[in-house]
Amino acid sequence: MTSFAVVDVETTGLDRSADRIVEIAVILLNHNLVEEGRWQSLVNPGRASAAVEIHGLSDAVLAGAPRFAEISQHVVDLLTGRVLVAHHAAFERAFLTRELTRAGYAGGPDEDACVCTMDQSRIYLPPGPHSLRGVAERLGLSPATRHRAMSDAETCARLLRCYVELEERGQRYTDAATNREALPVYPAQWRRARGWEPPYSKYSKRPAPGA
């Protein structure tokens, strides 16, 4: 049965092609959305961060953290076989894919292995703010500290549980919507998503290049 990995990353900036991950958090949920475990790590991006005012992680704080290549196998082990859940999943997925590629993998989770809690908010809630905090507040949740990976992952997990409850009660605002990339969004994305199978296992991973 489907299990989930709720993921949040903090980054040096918003450029998916150039910026790097500085913090990652993963919350593991079973098919009943009961937490099975959690993990987080700071990441040394190997470059200056332009987003310190957002997450508060300075270059000095990150200097002693591991590079992503050093934790990449553990990240893959956590995500393997699970559906990745994230708020604005396209953003999180793009950064994970680039970091895993740099670490020697052939790619990261694809769209079919993801549930986007931002997109799903357009199905279960009327028009309004679709940010993580905005959606949480509209659902009557109290979001934790903003823009730190674990607290954002916790909020994201709570959103998923709310959507599942709304779906089970037959409470949808609409049966179809369009996301910020002008792509179609449909209800209960978690039912269609499949567990991610990485292109390389920990036994066949290519040697990591210098990162």
Side-chain angles (χ1 to χ4, degrees):
M1 301 182 75
T2 303
S3 56
F4 302 90
V6 185
V7 179
D8 189 84
V9 300
E10 301 300 326
T11 63
T12 58
L14 300 179
D15 187 340
R16 303 180 195 183
S17 65
D19 282 303
R20 307 289 297 265
I21 290 175
V22 297
E23 186 179 35
I24 181 170
V26 181
I27 298 177
L28 304 178
L29 305 177
N30 68 14
H31 65 281
N32 288 321
L33 305 184
V34 175
E35 184 174 328
E36 297 180 305
R38 59 175 58 196
W39 171 82
Q40 69 183 107
S41 178
L42 295 177
V43 181
N44 183 341
R47 53 158 293 176
S49 175
V52 178
E53 71 282 359
I54 295 176
H55 45 60
L57 298 172
S58 67
D59 296 341
V61 169
L62 299 171
R67 296 292 184 97
F68 192 90
E70 298 175 61
I71 62 172
S72 61
Q73 186 59 60
H74 188 60
V75 172
V76 168
D77 290 344
L78 289 172
L79 302 186
T80 295
R82 294 179 182 266
V83 172
L84 184 147
V85 181
H87 202 74
H88 196 188
F91 180 88
E92 314 286 318
R93 188 164 58 85
F95 274 93
L96 279 172
T97 296
R98 287 192 62 83
E99 294 286 11
L100 287 170
T101 300
R102 290 187 185 103
Y105 292 85
D110 54 29
E111 186 177 0
D112 291 337
C114 295
V115 171
C116 179
T117 55
M118 176 184 284
D119 287 356
Q120 291 292 282
S121 70
R122 301 175 187 275
I123 295 291
Y124 296 101
L125 295 174
H130 293 286
S131 66
L132 182 66
R133 188 175 187 85
V135 174
E137 289 176 345
R138 290 203 285 149
L139 284 169
L141 305 177
S142 299
T145 306
R146 297 173 64 184
H147 297 302
R148 288 302 303 269
M150 185 55 76
S151 60
D152 284 354
E154 289 172 347
T155 301
C156 187
R158 294 169 74 192
L159 296 188
L160 177 63
R161 293 186 181 106
C162 285
Y163 298 150
V164 170
E165 290 175 5
L166 290 170
E167 177 67 20
E168 289 175 347
R169 296 200 299 263
Q171 294 180 232
R172 299 176 185 168
Y173 173 73
T174 184
D175 291 328
T178 302
N179 68 13
R180 62 193 300 175
E181 283 86 24
L183 297 174
V185 179
Y186 301 106
Q189 187 181 13
W190 55 89
R191 291 178 180 166
R192 300 184 302 278
R194 54 171 176 74
W196 179 57
E197 295 301 329
Y200 295 98
S201 73
K202 62 183 179 181
Y203 302 107
S204 60
K205 187 174 78 70
R206 293 181 297 178

